[in-house]
């Protein structure tokens, strides 16, 4: 259950914080539970409405089949009424729901993670105009929107860049500046995944622990890998942080601006060494 996973992940973060945040933790967890119940209720109502309208449309379809055998005059007389009813049904179809399950900010989250801050650098020959180093190299910037792209290709092109660092034990934290970019991913991967994805041919998620943003028409979706999980949280529009805990076997992603937890991938089968990875897909 996705809501329970988020609740457990947020509880785990507060357990690492001073006890004075107890009231904030209680408020955030209760708010998340309420949002989860509200969304479940809305989905149940939407499902019932769609089932009702489906039965109405099936009845209209049966009427139309019978009318096909009637004289033309009767067919035209009855057709107008059925057309009006079908249009009425379509106008009242359930609207898309807002499925965001964002939680409130966690006070002091970034301060705690900054204790494990590391500089991330990229292999020089693998860096490109879509993924570039920023400032003191504590932040990697990803830019994939069409406005900033140097060219547009007829087929999707993926750009992968690897960090020079490798991690086998310990705790580490770094940030990525994503701005308003879309179709990006970053995280850590093991040697197996890297060796099987050397030539920009991204296939499979075994050994890849990442957060990705994908644009579909006007909608944005966030998901994490290992396992592939859709994240019902707002798209971060500035900095996103990654916290790697090798001993606990977890990778956590945070929305830095909101000081909130996006998701923690639990029970990761790391198979170190692990290496940072940055990916941008230009469509």
């Amino acid at each position: 259950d996705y809501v329970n996973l988020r609740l457990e992940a947020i509880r785990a973060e507060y357990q690492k914080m001073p006890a004075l945040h107890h009231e904030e933790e209680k408020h955030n967890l209760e708010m998340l539970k309420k949002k989860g119940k509200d969304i479940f209720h809305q989905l149940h109502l939407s499902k019932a409405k769609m089932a009702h309208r489906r039965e109405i449309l099936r009845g209209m379809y049966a009427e139309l089949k019978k009318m096909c055998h009637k004289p033309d005059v009767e067919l035209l007389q009855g057709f107008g009424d059925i057309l009006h009813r079908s249009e009425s049904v379509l106008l009242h179809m359930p609207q898309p729901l807002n499925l965001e399950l964002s939680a409130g900010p966690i006070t002091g989250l970034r301060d705690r993670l900054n204790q494990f801050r590391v500089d991330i650098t990229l292999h020089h020959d693998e860096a490109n105009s879509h993924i570039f180093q920023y400032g003191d190299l504590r932040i990697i910037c990803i830019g994939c929107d069409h406005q900033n792209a140097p060219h547009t290709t007829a087929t999707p092109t993926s750009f992968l860049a690897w960090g020079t660092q490798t991690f086998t034990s310990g705790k580490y934290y770094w940030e990525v500046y994503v701005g308003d970019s879309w179709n990006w991913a970053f995280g850590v991967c093991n040697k197996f995944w890297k060796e099987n994805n050397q030539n920009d041919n991204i296939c499979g998620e075994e050994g890849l622990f990442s957060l990705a943003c994908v644009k579909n028409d006007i909608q944005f979706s966030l998901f994490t890998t290992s396992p592939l999980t859709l994240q019902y949280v707002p798209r971060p529009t500035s900095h996103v942080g990654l916290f790697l805990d090798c001993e606990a076997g977890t990778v956590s992603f945070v929305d830095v601006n909101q000081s909130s937890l996006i998701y923690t991938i639990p029970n990761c089968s790391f198979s170190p060494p692990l290496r940072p990875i940055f990916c941008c897909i230009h469509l």
Side-chain angles (χ1 to χ4, degrees):
D1 180 80
Y2 180 78
V3 176
N4 287 333
L5 285 175
R6 281 194 59 73
L7 289 170
E8 290 303 316
I10 293 171
R11 280 197 191 98
E13 286 301 323
Y14 275 107
Q15 288 173 1
K16 303 167 189 174
M17 309 292 286
L20 56 89
H21 297 307
H22 175 71
E23 287 302 317
E24 179 184 281
E25 175 187 5
K26 181 181 177 182
H27 171 74
N28 282 344
L29 293 179
E30 287 178 351
M31 181 175 64
L32 184 58
K33 287 179 184 178
K34 183 179 183 303
K35 286 182 179 179
K37 289 180 180 178
D38 288 346
I39 288 175
F40 180 80
H41 179 65
Q42 291 175 44
L43 288 171
H44 181 74
L45 288 178
S46 180
K47 181 180 178 181
K49 289 179 180 178
M50 291 184 71
H52 176 65
R53 284 163 175 75
R54 180 184 62 191
E55 292 306 313
I56 293 175
L57 290 172
R58 280 181 172 174
M60 292 179 183
Y61 175 71
E63 287 184 52
L64 286 171
K65 285 181 68 176
K66 289 180 180 179
M67 288 176 61
C68 289
H69 303 289
K70 293 183 177 181
D72 292 348
V73 174
E74 290 186 42
L75 179 63
L76 290 172
Q77 289 174 343
F79 184 74
D81 176 60
I82 291 180
L83 182 61
H84 175 73
R85 285 157 54 198
S86 64
E87 288 176 345
S88 176
V89 170
L90 292 174
L91 284 173
H92 294 89
M93 291 296 287
Q95 298 300 307
L97 300 177
N98 180 7
L99 302 179
E100 289 184 355
L101 277 168
S102 55
I106 300 176
T107 301
L109 176 62
R110 193 187 191 196
D111 291 338
R112 183 182 71 81
L113 295 177
N114 272 335
Q115 301 175 54
F116 309 100
R117 194 72 174 258
V118 293
D119 296 343
I120 297 296
T121 55
L122 304 178
H123 283 292
H124 179 71
D125 58 344
E126 292 173 334
N128 54 69
S129 60
H130 290 261
I131 304 174
F132 53 91
Q133 300 167 353
Y134 177 80
D136 61 357
L137 300 184
R138 289 174 177 263
I139 296 174
I140 302 296
C141 183
I142 299 179
C144 296
D145 57 283
H146 287 299
Q147 293 179 348
N148 296 330
H151 64 276
T152 302
T153 57
T155 57
T157 305
S158 60
F159 301 89
L160 272 69
W162 317 95
T164 58
Q165 296 86 345
T166 57
F167 308 115
T168 57
S169 62
K171 301 176 182 180
Y172 308 91
Y173 175 72
W174 62 91
E175 293 178 356
V176 168
Y177 177 76
V178 295
D180 292 323
S181 303
W182 42 268
N183 289 337
W184 51 260
F186 84 106
V188 293
C189 66
N190 61 22
K191 185 178 180 180
F192 169 82
W193 194 91
K194 183 178 185 297
E195 290 177 349
N196 283 274
N197 294 272
Q198 288 282 5
N199 299 314
D200 296 347
N201 296 317
I202 305 172
C203 56
E205 58 170 307
E206 184 179 350
L208 173 67
F209 309 91
S210 66
L211 171 71
C213 176
V214 175
K215 185 179 182 183
N216 182 14
D217 294 327
I218 61 172
Q219 299 295 322
F220 291 90
S221 297
L222 286 180
F223 63 88
T224 51
T225 59
S226 300
L228 190 65
T229 304
L230 186 63
Q231 300 299 324
Y232 298 98
V233 297
R235 178 175 67 102
T237 56
S238 183
H239 295 81
V240 183
L242 182 155
F243 178 59
L244 169 65
D245 188 337
C246 296
E247 277 65 43
T250 60
V251 177
S252 300
F253 298 96
V254 299
D255 186 327
V256 176
N257 268 16
Q258 300 300 318
S259 188
S260 62
L261 178 70
I262 295 174
Y263 189 70
T264 295
I265 305 176
N267 307 316
C268 299
S269 300
F270 281 143
S271 303
L274 300 171
R275 187 183 296 272
I277 180 174
F278 306 88
C279 173
C280 175
I281 299 177
H282 175 55
L283 301 176

